[in-house]
Amino acid sequence: MAQPPRHDPVSIGGVVKPSFAHLPEPQTLFLERAQRFRAVAHDHDLKRYLLFLADLCEAQHRVQDGLPAAELPAADELARARAFEMPPLDRSRFTPDAACEASLNGLCSCIGLCELTPAANAALRKVRNADAATLAVTMQSVLSDSIPVDAIAEHVFVAAALQVHFARLAAQLDVKNLVAVADGACPTCGGPPASSLVVAWQGAGGARFCACALCGTLWNYIRAKCCVCGSTKSITYQEIEGGPGTIKAECCAECRTYVKVLHHQKDISLDPIADDVASLGLDLLVRETGLRRGGVNPFLIGY
Ligand SMILES: [Zn+2]
Ligand SMILES: [Zn+2]
């Protein structure tokens, strides 16, 4: 996430505005995330799990070599989505194709080469042996953010494969054609943010972007506005006392949720997915006040 955006901020009448969205670069996204998971694992209570996620992200990076092209919807479908302010890669209408299945098979092979716990190995075996109908149901659970707590490990592998597939699709879109679809919804796939970033990019410094865990899109979203319901009425911030102040929970009293805000201006290496998992302590703190997570990160289900 340390990389500057590909698309320059827009200058309107001499006032520089951050671009509306930043599409993922799958060739670097997962490798950088793997490095970040490895860095935050050091001396962490969740060290073992964070190192597993580092291996999984490395597998997400490696699997892309040799995958068939991920095919975008037809041009007229994309145009229709834009006209109706719908996400072009609507996750709620997704059906797996050959490239998606190849991503899952390849990812299972790559991660299978790593040293896994017996539980992770058993889950991986289940995914590899699952029939198409079972996999379709598993994918649906990931895409609808309804991962069952008794089968989290299987869903983590499938979620990782879907992240690769959706990031490869999203990278082919024209960022200029993306439009805001709703408060708290990714303009590419329609999903909720995992967390949000206040960036330090040149020309866009201080702007906040929501981060999608599925397709990797970042979209501009004003600060001090709830990323779930859009309310600006009762926003407060919580953080771990005595901490570095790099990650805060933006809490909304209207819808009783919170979404984390990661501050690149204080630490450029923060990653919206890896640091979301590594800052679990903040979730535990905020949940004591009765708020629930608004961000959705498949690697944090069950905690
Ligand atoms: Zn998305
Ligand atoms: Zn809210």
Side-chain angles (χ1 to χ4, degrees), residues 199-233:
V199 300
W201 300 332
Q202 197 176 9
R208 189 253 287 269
F209 286 77
C210 285
C212 178
L214 179 69
C215 72
T217 297
L218 302 175
W219 70 98
N220 187 224
Y221 197 79
I222 64 167
R223 293 168 71 166
K225 179 178 180 178
C226 175
C227 298
V228 176
C229 74
S231 173
T232 54
K233 277 190 207 156

Side-chain angles (χ1 to χ4, degrees), residues 115-300:
E115 200 177 316
L116 299 176
T117 62
N121 250 323
L124 183 61
R125 253 197 321 277
K126 269 193 195 167
V127 173
R128 293 180 107 160
N129 295 333
D131 57 32
T134 306
L135 284 178
V137 171
T138 310
M139 285 186 187
Q140 220 43 60
S141 300
V142 171
L143 295 171
S144 60
D145 306 319
S146 53
I147 295 177
V149 286
D150 59 348
I152 291 169
E154 292 95 300
H155 286 77
V156 164
F157 292 121
V158 171
L162 286 169
Q163 286 175 351
V164 172
H165 185 64
F166 271 83
R168 292 175 77 231
L169 285 171
Q172 299 176 59
L173 293 171
D174 184 344
V175 75
K176 292 194 290 295
N177 286 336
L178 291 179
V179 291
V181 296
D183 280 317
C186 171
T188 296
C189 75
S195 66
S196 66
L197 289 172
V198 172
V199 300
W201 300 332
Q202 197 176 9
R208 189 253 287 269
F209 286 77
C210 285
C212 178
L214 179 69
C215 72
T217 297
L218 302 175
W219 70 98
N220 187 224
Y221 197 79
I222 64 167
R223 293 168 71 166
K225 179 178 180 178
C226 175
C227 298
V228 176
C229 74
S231 173
T232 54
K233 277 190 207 156
S234 316
I235 301 292
T236 54
Y237 294 88
Q238 283 199 54
E239 62 185 307
I240 303 272
E241 210 172 312
T246 52
I247 303 179
K248 296 181 184 180
E250 188 176 77
C251 305
C252 173
E254 290 289 309
C255 69
R256 306 283 299 155
T257 68
Y258 68 93
V259 172
K260 289 176 193 164
V261 188
L262 284 56
H263 290 266
H264 264 186
Q265 284 159 320
K266 292 182 177 169
D267 183 351
I268 195 71
S269 56
L270 294 167
D271 176 272
I273 305 304
D275 285 274
D276 187 27
V277 180
S279 59
L280 175 66
L282 181 57
D283 293 273
L284 301 179
L285 180 81
V286 179
R287 269 187 238 163
E288 278 176 19
T289 66
L291 298 190
R292 62 182 174 81
R293 251 184 86 88
V296 174
N297 181 343
F299 298 158
L300 249 182

